[in-house]
Amino acid sequence: MNAAACLLLYSVAVIVFGPSVLGFLTRGGHAPRSGVAAWLIAIGSVLLSWLTVVVLMILDVLAHRNDGGSFVVSCVRWLCDLAEGKAGSAPQAMLLASAVAVIGVVAVIGVRLVRTVRRLRAHAYEHAQAVRLVGRPTGERDVFVVDAAERTAYCVAGKPPAIVVTSAAVAALGERELAAVIAHERAHLDGHHPRIVTALRGLALVIPRLALTTRGAAEVSRLLEMCADDAASRRHGNGALLTGLMTLAAGAPTAALGAADVAVLNRAERLALPPALRVRVRAQAALTSATATMAVAPLGILALGASGILMCGG
């Protein structure tokens, strides 16, 4: 069980230090793709570590169920004695109540996560269908113009997805700026960004007290906007996208990713004053190192545990 103990320590370390460290490394948005990868690896590695700990404990119990040579098996037998009432009715009642509470919490979290993600996805799909019904199709694939006084543009996932541009935005934007904004939204759809954001928002709603998930959802949304900015600026230039970004007003629906609704000032500064090459390289190297460490650490713990070298925990 040394590997399980170390995996728990690893997950605690990432939960405690991960948000501040990753927030510092990604605050400038100099390497947004690497930043997204770092946050996703951090969240995913913690969840997988928890799952692996449970699996290791079950395997340990099965491997030592007869000889009793495992600390976990000893604990399980002790708990069974309590459950059978050998230590009295009060400990038995407390144990059963605790077990029911733990199972209930886990079940509630799982059900809430599935329901929340499904609700967000269903809302996005319904919105995409509504846009296709009320919007005016354009010459570009999946792009629809909706009559509205607000100047905004956004995309929504669906089957098929939709890129929405309001009539006020079309009137306010020039041809190059409009093309840049649409390219930004198409980059979201091509990169499956709405699905990533939906999953993270659902996880943050289910575990609202965990900074790794709540801050991670916000930071990944911001970094994905920068990824889409980079894709659009490569095709249409920073100037066109910057003008389009500042022209549009915030107002995308909750289930959508809008061109001007997340970290506008941060993104505008990044487009107006692109970082030097050495700054981007330094940020890329730092994030790559952090991502590699978080990805390799759990695997290294399991490898050392399997080899018998690992000396950690009880």
Side-chain angles (χ1 to χ4, degrees), residues 21-60:
V21 172
L22 292 178
F24 174 77
L25 293 177
T26 60
R27 63 180 180 179
H30 302 317
R33 290 173 62 90
S34 297
V36 170
W39 277 103
L40 294 180
I41 288 293
I43 296 171
S45 66
V46 168
L47 297 178
L48 288 176
S49 293
W50 291 347
L51 178 61
T52 303
V53 167
V54 174
V55 172
L56 289 176
M57 292 180 67
I58 294 173
L59 293 176
D60 191 67

Side-chain angles (χ1 to χ4, degrees), residues 75-148:
C75 290
V76 170
R77 289 180 176 175
W78 175 69
L79 291 174
C80 288
D81 290 340
L82 291 180
E84 292 174 1
K86 294 181 179 180
S89 59
Q92 180 186 34
M94 292 178 61
L95 175 63
L96 293 178
S98 300
V100 170
V102 170
I103 294 173
V105 168
V106 173
V108 168
I109 290 176
V111 171
R112 285 184 60 189
L113 178 59
V114 172
R115 286 182 176 177
T116 300
V117 172
R118 283 182 176 177
R119 185 176 69 252
L120 292 174
R121 290 182 62 184
H123 181 66
Y125 286 6
E126 291 172 0
H127 190 80
Q129 292 174 354
V131 166
R132 289 178 173 274
L133 290 175
V134 303
R136 299 192 303 274
T138 64
E140 297 198 49
R141 175 174 52 91
D142 298 327
V143 180
F144 295 83
V145 177
V146 174
D147 292 327

Side-chain angles (χ1 to χ4, degrees), residues 182-248:
I182 292 175
H184 171 99
E185 301 305 332
R186 196 173 300 283
H188 279 315
L189 296 178
D190 292 342
H192 305 289
H193 297 173
R195 295 182 180 179
I196 297 173
V197 172
T198 296
L200 291 178
R201 285 176 178 172
L203 190 60
L205 289 173
V206 171
I207 317 177
R209 296 183 181 275
L210 193 63
L212 183 65
T213 58
T214 55
R215 185 171 178 180
E219 289 295 317
V220 168
S221 296
R222 180 178 67 89
L223 293 169
L224 288 176
E225 289 295 337
M226 294 179 178
C227 291
D229 286 344
D230 290 344
S233 64
R234 282 193 295 269
R235 294 186 58 186
H236 302 283
N238 286 11
L241 180 60
L242 177 60
T243 302
L245 177 67
M246 301 310 295
T247 300
L248 296 182

